[in-house]
Amino acid sequence: MNRIGSKLKKLRHDLGLTQKEMAADVISVSFYSKVERGFHDIGAEELIQILEKHGISFQEFFSGMNNKEDNKNKVNQLTNKLIKFANEDNDVEIAKVISELRNVEPKSAFLESMILQAEVISNTHDEKSLKKLTNEEKKRLKKMIFQKDTDENQYLRIVMITNVLQIYDFEEATFLVKNIIRRYQDVNNIQENILVALSALMVNYIDWGIKKGRVDQCYQPIQYLNSLPSNIELAFSKILGKYYEDLINHNKTEAIEIQNILIKSGFKTYVKRMAK
């Protein structure tokens, strides 16, 4: 995707517009769609006309590019922190992350959605909290998870599913995880942040499956986890995957060694919650 096409798409999402509304009869919807996807370049005159239709100056469109990209990176960093602190049951740090998210400017539909989902994760990041949810709250969570897809909220949706997986019964969760594996089969063409979220989802599901005595459903997620690239961002999840694989294959000595390494590395709280 070219830089202008990517920027137009981000602006459209921030404004909450459809492609037809964003094109504003300046160019065809079909042509505009191809501009967003990087298949066509847009002329300066048409770009200016589209921006003017939505009250955005040409200068503002380009001058805000770096600031907004910095904000997006900051939001991604804060999201990664949120996941880490949720895994550690660290409510104090979770609250700090949410506070930092609220201070990010400018506000956008994406950011507001991130804040809302962070608050949901804050309130449902452990089994006790999930058990307190009413049926109506569970329905609202499921609806949020399956909202209309965009490039940005693919990542958020997987993070949400990872943290509230147990609002489903195990068979529903199994169906959901298998469909996600099928959708994201081409692991070499997936954005890095989505890979991290997918790896965390597999770990949570495998842990739950072992605790439920459903080891038969854990093999495919373990295989998927093993198929992910061996980069540093995925190291923690892949180590946990090896632990669960050893556990399932009754390699007790190897599994205990991994537990001890995690404890020495500061993950004692996490180890306590892991399937044994």
Side-chain angles (χ1 to χ4, degrees):
M1 185 184 293
N2 62 39
R3 190 166 170 79
I4 291 178
S6 175
K7 173 62 179 168
L8 276 170
K9 183 174 184 179
K10 176 66 169 63
L11 177 62
R12 177 171 64 80
H13 287 159
D14 288 348
L15 296 173
L17 301 176
T18 64
Q19 289 189 342
K20 178 177 174 60
E21 291 167 335
M22 190 68 182
D25 294 326
V26 175
I27 55 178
S28 70
V29 178
S30 174
F31 188 88
Y32 176 83
S33 176
K34 290 176 181 177
V35 170
E36 277 199 358
R37 289 180 287 157
F39 297 139
H40 282 327
D41 291 325
I42 187 172
E45 185 176 342
E46 288 83 4
L47 177 60
I48 291 170
Q49 288 181 40
I50 288 175
L51 294 175
E52 287 179 346
K53 292 268 188 178
H54 302 295
I56 307 292
S57 71
F58 192 73
Q59 292 77 14
E60 183 183 358
F61 180 75
F62 284 103
S63 66
M65 195 173 279
N66 290 333
N67 288 337
K68 289 186 178 179
E69 192 63 32
D70 288 344
N71 282 347
K72 185 174 180 180
N73 291 337
K74 184 175 182 180
V75 170
N76 285 338
Q77 290 170 6
L78 290 171
T79 304
N80 290 332
K81 282 186 179 181
L82 176 72
I83 296 168
K84 177 180 182 292
F85 294 137
N87 284 334
E88 296 173 358
D89 290 342
N90 193 332
D91 292 320
V92 173
E93 293 299 328
I94 290 172
K96 288 180 183 177
V97 170
I98 293 173
S99 178
E100 286 187 63
L101 283 169
R102 290 194 181 115
N103 290 328
V104 174
E105 295 291 346
K107 292 290 187 291
S108 66
F110 169 67
L111 180 57
E112 294 292 347
S113 174
M114 183 64 244
I115 293 170
L116 175 60
Q117 296 188 57
E119 289 172 342
V120 169
I121 291 170
S122 172
N123 293 327
T124 59
H125 65 87
D126 59 35
E127 291 182 23
K128 289 181 181 179
S129 299
L130 287 172
K131 287 177 181 177
K132 292 178 183 177
L133 291 173
T134 65
N135 287 334
E136 188 57 37
E137 287 171 330
K138 289 179 181 180
K139 286 179 183 177
R140 287 204 301 270
L141 279 173
K142 290 179 182 180
K143 184 176 180 181
M144 186 182 295
I145 287 169
F146 288 101
Q147 62 189 310
K148 187 176 179 181
D149 201 14
T150 68
D151 284 353
E152 290 89 352
N153 73 20
Q154 284 185 66
Y155 172 66
L156 298 178
R157 177 179 292 121
I158 297 168
V159 170
M160 281 285 291
I161 293 171
T162 300
N163 282 273
V164 300
L165 190 63
Q166 293 183 43
I167 64 173
Y168 299 92
D169 64 40
F170 189 75
E171 298 307 324
E172 285 179 325
T174 299
F175 178 79
L176 183 60
V177 168
K178 286 185 175 181
N179 274 280
I180 289 171
I181 290 174
R182 192 177 301 116
R183 176 177 179 182
Y184 294 98
Q185 196 66 42
D186 188 2
V187 298
N188 294 315
N189 289 303
I190 301 174
Q191 293 176 18
E192 188 175 277
N193 64 337
I194 294 177
L195 283 174
V196 173
L198 286 168
S199 70
L201 173 59
M202 297 303 127
V203 166
N204 278 18
Y205 174 81
I206 295 163
D207 183 84
W208 188 25
I210 294 173
K211 288 175 179 174
K212 293 278 290 185
R214 296 299 305 274
V215 171
D216 58 308
Q217 296 297 340
C218 296
Y219 294 108
Q220 186 181 7
I222 286 175
Q223 288 174 357
Y224 184 75
L225 197 53
N226 289 338
S227 75
L228 298 181
S230 296
N231 56 42
I232 192 65
E233 290 77 16
L234 299 173
F236 184 67
S237 293
K238 290 179 80 72
I239 289 169
L240 291 176
K242 181 64 172 66
Y243 165 78
Y244 291 120
E245 192 171 13
D246 285 337
L247 202 62
I248 290 171
N249 292 329
H250 306 292
N251 297 327
K252 188 174 181 181
T253 301
E254 288 85 349
I256 291 173
E257 284 180 2
I258 293 174
Q259 279 186 2
N260 290 336
I261 290 170
L262 291 172
I263 291 169
K264 289 177 181 178
S265 301
F267 293 97
K268 185 175 181 180
T269 300
Y270 192 93
V271 170
K272 285 181 180 178
R273 291 165 45 194
M274 288 164 51
K276 306 291 193 297

